Amino acid sequence: APAAVTAEQLLRHEVAAGRHHALGDPAAGGKGAKLADPSAAIAVLWLGRTLKFVVRLFEVLCEGEGLIGVTPAMDTAYAEVLKPFHSWVMRTTFDLVAKRAPDYPELLRLLAPEGTPAALREELVLGGMRRYVESGYPLICLLEELLAQLGLVDERAS
């Protein structure tokens, strides 16, 4: 059986093979790197961004923003996490999808285990979301640190 390969080993292999190109340090106003697509680096980059969006959405909902609507909570998380990296086509698509989001009580019903009494849904669902947020941010930090360490931060919109 082949040996297991870590994400770091795979990314280091791509860097050594010259798959990606430096575009300047993002801290100095550069765009970071131009990642080959498809590649493991682009997959890890978007995995981290997607996870960060979901974690931020759950965080916003746990802060009580769901009471003003799921769509505004989605808009907040999207604006902070994904929008800067999306083209107008992706931004428009997100807007269309977000407008179809269920209302808050329906979201709680959909996310709670089947048969959960309505009176317990919010506490149960928000508790699960809080645990997801608590465990999600450390993983996001690890992914972002790995990409930064290898010079694989791509700040370009796609």
Side-chain angles (χ1 to χ4, degrees):
V5 176
T6 66
E8 181 177 358
Q9 290 169 325
L10 183 57
L11 294 174
R12 285 188 184 281
H13 173 76
E14 287 186 351
V15 169
R19 300 243 11 238
H20 313 292
H21 305 285
L23 297 176
D25 184 359
K31 291 291 184 182
K34 180 179 181 187
L35 302 182
D37 189 6
S39 68
I42 207 87
V44 170
L45 178 74
W46 282 103
L47 171 69
R49 287 176 179 170
T50 303
L51 178 59
K52 192 173 189 175
F53 167 74
V54 173
V55 167
R56 182 62 182 130
L57 172 61
F58 284 0
E59 189 174 48
V60 171
L61 289 169
C62 288
E63 292 168 353
E65 295 299 316
L67 298 176
I68 62 165
V70 175
T71 296
M74 290 177 69
D75 289 342
T76 296
Y78 180 74
E80 292 176 13
V81 178
L82 295 176
K83 188 175 183 176
F85 307 107
H86 278 172
S87 66
W88 71 268
V89 172
M90 292 303 297
R91 290 190 304 268
T92 303
T93 302
F94 178 84
D95 288 342
L96 291 171
V97 170
K99 288 176 183 167
R100 307 282 297 175
D103 64 14
Y104 188 66
E106 180 65 6
L107 179 71
L108 296 176
R109 188 190 68 73
L110 291 167
L111 294 178
E114 192 172 330
T116 302
L120 301 177
R121 286 182 192 147
E122 184 172 46
E123 179 182 345
L124 185 65
V125 170
L126 293 183
M129 287 181 179
R130 285 185 190 97
R131 287 188 298 280
Y132 192 90
V133 168
E134 289 168 8
S135 61
Y137 273 125
L139 178 56
I140 293 163
C141 288
L142 286 173
L143 292 172
E144 289 176 347
E145 288 169 8
L146 176 59
L147 291 170
Q149 176 188 24
L150 297 175
L152 299 174
V153 176
D154 190 337
E155 298 289 335
R156 297 171 304 131
S158 58

